């Protein structure tokens, strides 16, 4: 299975990706997690990304595309993947298309987890309070507002992009975690 999970910060992409990963023996490929690991390890990409991430802005497309290219090339990605947090711009989506073509892989679906923005601040504050080891640098109201604005401006256009390719499936992200999982399974089976 090769899918993209699309949705604003706090929509539940990471939570759902972990469930789907187990059920379908695919790997969760979260660019946010990869970048946070790079920041923690102090790699050149981590050093470049650290402040950008803390502000809630996007890491440059060429950097993130390089990260995804390397990750998709790893052996475990061959059994399938769930992209979580990538692509986030139309340029990234176009680069992904070329990359998948090169690797002779096809996407099965793009699942949009649709949520009401009004609940996202609450969800992120809850996640910040519950994260073991302390909150993420960008789980605060100021960075979240920026991340939401970035989502609206740069990532939401991907909904129309994938709709145009007949790949988009939308689920209601306001339901419980289990219900959202069920809905995702249903749209993926179509
Ligand atoms: P996430 O964990 O997906 O919310 O990502 C956290 C942060 O990492 C984002 O706010 C961006 O700064 C950066 N990031 C993650 N994925 C991408 C991406 N595909 N393009 C650019 N920046 C990204």
């Amino acid at each position: 299975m090769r899918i993209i999970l699309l949705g604003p910060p706090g929509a539940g992409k990471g939570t759902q990706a972990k469930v789907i990963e187990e059920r379908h023996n695919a790997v969760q490929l979260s660019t946010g997690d990869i970048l946070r690991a790079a920041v923690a390890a102090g790699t050149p990409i981590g050093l470049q990304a650290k402040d950008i991430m803390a502000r809630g802005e996007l890491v440059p497309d060429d950097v993130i595309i390089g990260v995804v290219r390397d990750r998709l090339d790893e052996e475990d990605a061959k059994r399938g993947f769930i992209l979580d947090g990538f692509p986030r711009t139309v340029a990234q989506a176009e680069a992904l298309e070329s990359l998948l073509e090169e690797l002779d892989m096809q996407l099965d679906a793009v699942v949009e987890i649709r949520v009401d923005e009004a609940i996202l601040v609450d969800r992120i504050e809850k996640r910040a309070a519950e994260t073991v080891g302390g909150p993420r640098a960008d789980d605060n109201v100021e960075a979240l507002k920026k991340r939401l604005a970035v989502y609206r401006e740069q990532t939401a256009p991907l909904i129309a992009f994938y709709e145009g390719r007949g790949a988009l499936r939308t689920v209601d992200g306001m339901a419980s975690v289990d219900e959202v999982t069920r809905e995702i399974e249903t749209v993926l089976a179509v």
Side-chain angles (χ1 to χ4, degrees):
M1 162 173 299
R2 300 187 193 103
I3 63 169
I4 294 172
L5 293 183
L6 195 60
K13 299 186 297 294
T15 304
Q16 294 299 332
K18 285 194 175 63
V19 181
I20 304 167
E21 150 172 81
E22 284 206 5
R23 291 191 180 191
H24 293 272
N25 189 33
V27 289
Q28 174 190 12
L29 204 165
S30 156
T31 43
D33 285 351
I34 295 172
L35 291 172
R36 278 184 288 279
V39 171
T43 67
I45 286 179
L47 293 175
Q48 191 182 352
K50 187 173 188 224
D51 293 343
I52 298 175
M53 291 174 74
R55 286 197 300 270
E57 293 168 7
L58 292 185
V59 170
D61 285 337
D62 57 336
V63 173
I64 205 81
I65 290 162
V67 164
V68 171
R69 170 185 291 274
D70 289 349
R71 187 64 188 85
L72 284 180
D73 228 8
E74 282 179 41
E75 200 50 39
D76 62 349
K78 301 209 167 31
R79 48 174 219 257
F81 53 75
I82 302 143
L83 287 172
D84 158 13
F86 178 91
R88 259 177 155 97
T89 64
V90 171
Q92 291 179 16
E94 286 170 346
L96 177 65
E97 286 189 335
S98 319
L99 191 54
L100 291 178
E101 207 171 309
E102 260 174 52
L103 296 169
D104 201 18
M105 289 178 174
Q106 269 179 359
L107 217 50
D108 294 304
V110 178
V111 179
E112 179 206 358
I113 306 181
R114 190 172 289 175
V115 287
D116 180 350
E117 257 199 33
I119 64 141
L120 293 176
V121 174
D122 281 355
R123 276 201 190 177
I124 300 270
E125 283 182 333
K126 195 158 169 264
R127 175 166 80 189
E130 288 171 357
T131 306
V132 180
R136 286 168 39 169
D138 58 354
D139 271 353
N140 57 72
V141 172
E142 201 186 325
L144 174 62
K145 286 198 176 133
K146 181 69 191 170
R147 285 156 69 203
L148 285 174
V150 167
Y151 178 81
R152 273 195 301 268
E153 285 158 25
Q154 304 204 54
T155 310
L158 293 180
I159 295 169
F161 179 91
Y162 285 118
E163 209 162 22
R165 278 157 172 68
L168 192 75
R169 316 271 182 273
T170 301
V171 301
D172 174 14
M174 302 296 286
S176 69
V177 171
D178 288 350
E179 279 171 62
V180 177
T181 305
R182 271 197 295 277
E183 234 196 291
I184 293 177
E185 294 289 3
T186 305
V187 298
L188 289 180
V190 175

